[in-house]
Structures are given as structure tokens and as C-alpha cells.
Amino acid sequence: MPELKRRWINGHAHALVLDYHQRGLPASASLVRKRDGAVLVRWSLANGTHPRIARKRPPLPSRDLLGEMARLEARFKAGTAAQRLLSRQPRRKDWLQGLGVPTEILRDYRLQRCDEPGELVEAGRDRGGRSLWLTPAAARAWLRMSIAARRDGVVLEPVSGFRSAAYQRMLIARKRARGLDWDAILSVSALPGFSEHHLGTTLDLHGGDGAVLEESFENTAAFAWLSAHAGRFSFRLSYPRDNPHGIAYEPWHWRFHPQAGQ
Ligand SMILES: [Zn+2]
């Protein structure tokens, strides 16, 4: 059972830190309310062997924060990580409404609908230093895969992971406002609600050197390693050359396909 100690930050209920021991190592979990009302749970092992992981959920009314903290504490007292504590319902929304996509484009559109997941964890940082968000299973698989690559002397750097449909919608609306036509926009971007990045299971990767998100990635040691080993970690290239989805070849775009029990 973890040893538990409560520590309050800033003297109020905006954050609660639980210090405990996991397999003899000092660790901590904290619940933090962000300014936008979202609540993050983070935990970490003090020896740095474990990546900092945070769970994200939609805004909670303030009075619920204490209840949420109490539930988190109970989970830690029971010795279980708060695996499903902060899950939420996947959001389904018509992201295309009001975007003005011509009907003939929608009629011929070949990408599958991709809904956002109910839970995301912070699986380290992307190469730009921003938080990398993935589903818990994809995060575990990604961490195992990146460690295996590193052991083989290969660098895999995430360029991006989860991207929200709202963000995708904003990007596309911005391109429209700049006067780009739909063909130009959709040759490089999926419509909001249709990007595999909304799933939280998909990563754009880079090998540390050379151009980012360019076809030349296929000539790198990182791509050779992924082609040989990514399948062991349940990652597959979504858009190989001449793929049936009509999407340009994207050697950097790898999606996690969970197996039973993952
Ligand atoms: Zn991608």
C-alpha cells in the first residue's frame, strides 16, 4: 500500500499533491486546476525513470474539485492508480457545421470519421517541447517502442500526437480566411472530425535530423527501424505509397492499433 502524505500548494484547493512510495521509490501525484477550468492529474516517480503522466478532463465546477481529490486519494490509498478516474464520454459533434465545405467535396471524401477519446495521458513532450497527448494504451506502446529504438541506437522524436477536432477546425477556417481553395487545403489537412490525430493513437515521427514531415523521412534510419519493428508495438503506417484512401504518402504518420488486452 502506498505511503500517503497530503501537501497543499498555494494554500488552497487548486492543487493537491500526494506523496507516496511505489515499489520503494518516492512518487507523487497531484491534482491541479488550470485557469480554463480543466483539471489535470499528474504523477511521477522521483528517480526520473518514469515519464511524467497527466490525465486531462473537461472543466469541473469548483465544488467538485474537493470531491475529485478525495476520490483520487481513496484510489491511491487502495493502492490502485487512478486509471479510469478521470475518463469522460467521447465527444461527438458535427465539426463541419458552418465551415462551408462544398457538398461535392463531402460526397467524395474518403477519410473515416475519427472521434476524440474519453481519456488522454501526457506521454512526455514533442520535439517542440509541448505536451504530447495520447490515449493511455497508445502512450504505453509509444514509450516501449521509443525505448526499444533507443536501445538500437535509433532516435524517434514525436512531432505531434493528439490534436483536437476543434483545433483542426480552427486551422482550416484560418486557411480559408487566407483565401486558400479547398483542394489546396485538403491535400495536406484532414477535415475536422476526420484526422487520425483526433484519436489520440497516432503519432507523426521524426528521426532527429533532416526535414520534418517530408517524404525524405523514408530514407532515414528511423523509418527503416519503424518499418522493421513498429508492428511489434502495434503501430502501423496509415498512408503508405499508393494507399486506397487517396492520401499522399506519409512515411512519418504511424497509428497505434490496439490488440485485445492492450
Ligand atoms: Zn499525421
Side-chain angles (χ1 to χ4, degrees):
M1 185 164 121
E3 272 176 47
L4 225 107
K5 183 172 76 178
R6 252 169 187 252
R7 182 151 51 87
W8 294 87
I9 293 177
N10 299 336
H12 50 67
H14 284 193
L16 168 73
V17 176
L18 304 169
D19 294 315
Y20 62 101
H21 285 76
Q22 189 171 297
R23 293 189 198 110
L25 293 168
S28 68
S30 57
L31 195 56
V32 181
R33 173 189 281 283
K34 290 174 57 189
R35 214 169 294 158
D36 65 2
V39 174
L40 296 179
V41 174
R42 310 167 173 250
W43 62 90
S44 60
L45 290 184
N47 69 355
T49 55
H50 200 277
R52 192 189 64 172
I53 291 188
R55 281 164 205 274
K56 197 160 86 157
R57 62 160 296 157
L60 277 176
S62 295
R63 63 180 179 281
D64 285 352
L65 187 61
L66 285 172
E68 203 68 32
M69 287 177 173
R71 279 192 288 278
L72 176 67
E73 189 167 358
R75 298 270 182 136
F76 275 92
K77 273 184 175 153
T80 58
Q83 194 70 21
R84 274 178 296 279
L85 177 68
L86 298 177
S87 66
R88 61 177 166 94
Q89 287 301 308
R91 281 197 294 170
R92 283 196 78 105
K93 185 173 162 179
D94 185 5
W95 296 102
L96 299 179
Q97 222 170 30
L99 206 53
V101 190
T103 25
E104 61 273 19
I105 285 184
L106 290 178
R107 193 188 53 219
D108 298 336
Y109 202 59
R110 283 191 270 183
L111 290 183
Q112 296 279 310
R113 168 97 199 194
C114 292
D115 287 321
E116 295 177 2
E119 189 174 27
L120 291 165
V121 300
E122 188 184 359
R125 301 266 159 181
D126 66 21
R127 67 193 302 273
R130 292 162 302 202
S131 297
L132 176 73
W133 295 99
L134 295 171
T135 64
R140 282 192 294 272
W142 157 245
L143 293 168
R144 278 201 299 269
M145 182 164 82
S146 56
I147 289 165
R150 208 180 310 152
R151 273 197 204 115
D152 290 344
V154 170
V155 173
L156 293 180
E157 284 182 350
V159 179
S160 63
F162 170 78
R163 285 202 299 268
S164 70
Y167 181 74
Q168 190 85 357
R169 186 188 155 88
M170 187 269 291
L171 284 183
I172 288 184
R174 210 184 264 172
K175 286 183 179 184
R176 283 297 291 164
R178 289 209 324 257
L180 269 77
D181 66 34
W182 282 108
D183 284 346
I185 293 170
L186 298 181
S187 64
V188 291
S189 306
L191 285 171
F194 293 85
S195 167
E196 288 191 330
H197 288 280
H198 303 337
L199 299 168
T201 56
T202 304
L203 285 157
D204 289 337
L205 296 172
H206 187 247
D209 292 317
V212 177
L213 311 185
E214 293 284 348
E215 232 180 83
S216 58
F217 179 66
E218 72 174 345
N219 303 315
T220 62
F223 182 74
W225 190 93
L226 285 164
S227 302
H229 303 288
R232 273 201 284 137
F233 304 92
S234 308
F235 278 92
R236 285 209 299 269
L237 190 64
S238 294
Y239 307 118
R241 223 181 266 289
D242 303 321
N243 64 75
H245 313 284
I247 300 288
Y249 176 43
E250 291 193 355
W252 59 84
H253 178 107
W254 293 78
R255 174 172 164 187
F256 170 67
H257 295 265
Q259 312 294 304
Q262 263 181 317

